[in-house]
Amino acid sequence: MRTRRSEQLLGHLLLVVGALLALLPFLSIVLLALTPPGERTGGGGLPSSLTLENFATAWTRGGFGQALWSSLIVAVAVVLGASLVSVLAGYAFSTMRFPGRFVLLGILLVGLVMPYEGIIVPLYYLLEGMGLLNTYWALILPQIATSVSLGVLWMRTAYANVPRSLGEAASIDGAGRWATLWRIYVPVSAPAIATLGTLLFLYTWNEFLMALVLVPQNPDVQTAPLALSFFAGSTRNFDPSVTAAAAVIVALPILVVYAIFQRRFITGVVAGAVKE
C-alpha cells in the first residue's frame, strides 16, 4: 500500500514539475513584458517593479488593434468554411459508397503531409493572376483549402463512431440523408466539431508564412503574427520589454479561446476512444 501511494505521489510530483517547465517560457515572457522600460533583468532575476506601460507602447506603435481584428476575421472565416466543408464531406465518406472514394481519401492524406513551402510559390502566382493578393481572400481561401484534408478525415472518423442504428432509425422514419446529417450525425458529433473548430482557429491564428508572402503590402489585412514580426524587426522597437509585451498581446486571444473551449476540446479528442 505504501509503495503504491509513493508511486502516486511521485507521479503527481512529476506532473507538477512538467507543468512548471512547460509554463516557464511563457511566464518569463510575461515577466519581461511587465519589466519597466530600460531595466535589464538577467539570469531569471525579478524586476524592481511591475508596469503595464510596455503593453500601451506596443499597442500604440505596433497597430495591433487592426492586426488582431484582421486575424479574427480570417480565423472565423476559415473555421466556418472549413468546418462546413468537412462536415458535409466527412458525412459522405463515412456513410456513402461511390466510385473513387478511396482515391479521394488518398489525395486528402497527401494534403495532410504536404508542407506550405511546397505550394506557397505557385499559390502566390495563382492569387496574383486572380487579383486577390493583399486581400482577406488571399488568406481565407488557401487556408480553407489546406484545412479541409484534416477536417474531412477528422469528421469521417467521428461519424464512423456514430451507431449505424441511429441512421437506420431515421431512415425508417422517413428522414432523407440531409435530415439525417443535421438531426442525427451533427448533434451526436458536436464535441468533435467543436474540437475541430478550436484546432483550426489555433492553426489559422498562428499562420505566418502565408500572411508574409500573400499580404505583405496591405497593413489593413495583415494578421497579428505578421504585425508582430514587423514590429519586432523594426529598428525603433529595440526594447525587449516592449517586444515581449507585443508577443503577449498576440498570444492572449489564443489562451482565451483555449480556456473557454478547454473542456469541449478534451471531450472531442477522447470522443470515439470507446466505440459502442
Side-chain angles (χ1 to χ4, degrees):
M1 182 66 68
R2 291 183 178 179
T3 302
R4 184 176 181 182
R5 175 171 293 183
S6 300
E7 292 177 351
Q8 291 178 346
L9 291 176
L10 179 60
H12 293 162
L13 179 61
L14 291 176
L15 290 176
V16 172
V17 172
L20 292 176
L21 290 176
L23 289 174
L24 184 60
F26 179 75
L27 293 178
S28 64
I29 294 296
V30 173
L31 189 62
L32 179 60
L34 295 173
T35 302
E39 181 176 333
R40 297 292 181 266
T41 58
L46 297 177
S48 59
S49 61
L50 301 179
T51 179
L52 296 176
E53 180 182 351
N54 297 321
F55 291 93
T57 302
W59 184 271
T60 302
R61 292 182 181 177
F64 287 104
Q66 179 61 40
L68 292 174
W69 177 246
S70 297
S71 287
L72 181 63
I73 292 176
V74 173
V76 170
V78 171
V79 168
L80 294 178
S83 297
L84 178 60
V85 174
S86 300
V87 166
L88 296 176
Y91 177 70
F93 278 112
S94 178
T95 63
M96 302 178 187
R97 302 293 180 265
F98 52 88
R101 179 165 58 99
F102 294 105
V103 174
L104 292 176
L105 283 175
I107 295 176
L108 291 175
L109 289 175
V110 173
L112 278 178
V113 300
M114 180 176 294
Y116 283 165
E117 294 81 0
I119 64 173
I120 193 66
V121 173
L123 183 61
Y124 175 88
Y125 287 109
L126 175 63
L127 293 174
E128 183 183 34
M130 299 173 64
L132 296 179
L133 288 180
N134 296 298
T135 67
Y136 283 125
W137 293 114
L139 297 177
I140 294 173
L141 295 178
Q143 292 190 79
I144 289 178
T146 55
S147 300
V148 164
S149 295
L150 170 64
V152 172
L153 294 174
W154 183 283
M155 293 311 304
R156 177 180 178 271
T157 302
Y159 292 146
N161 291 323
V162 177
R164 292 187 176 275
S165 57
L166 294 178
E168 294 172 355
S171 178
I172 293 174
D173 290 339
R177 291 189 178 276
W178 189 259
T180 301
L181 168 63
W182 295 109
R183 296 180 182 178
I184 303 296
Y185 279 82
V186 169
V188 171
S189 60
I193 297 175
T195 303
L196 175 63
T198 304
L199 287 173
L200 294 179
F201 186 91
L202 297 178
Y203 294 157
T204 304
W205 186 276
N206 291 322
E207 174 57 39
F208 172 74
L209 180 60
M210 282 192 180
L212 177 64
V213 175
L214 302 178
V215 294
Q217 299 176 0
N218 189 353
D220 293 334
V221 300
Q222 289 175 0
T223 57
L226 183 61
L228 175 61
S229 175
F230 288 163
F231 180 80
S234 176
T235 55
R236 60 189 176 87
N237 300 316
F238 56 87
D239 195 325
S241 298
V242 177
T243 303
V248 173
I249 291 174
V250 173
L252 188 59
I254 291 294
L255 298 177
V256 172
V257 169
Y258 183 77
I260 294 175
F261 294 100
Q262 178 184 11
R263 182 170 299 181
R264 279 250 183 224
F265 181 82
I266 296 175
T267 302
V269 169
V270 302
V274 178
K275 186 175 181 179
E276 299 180 359

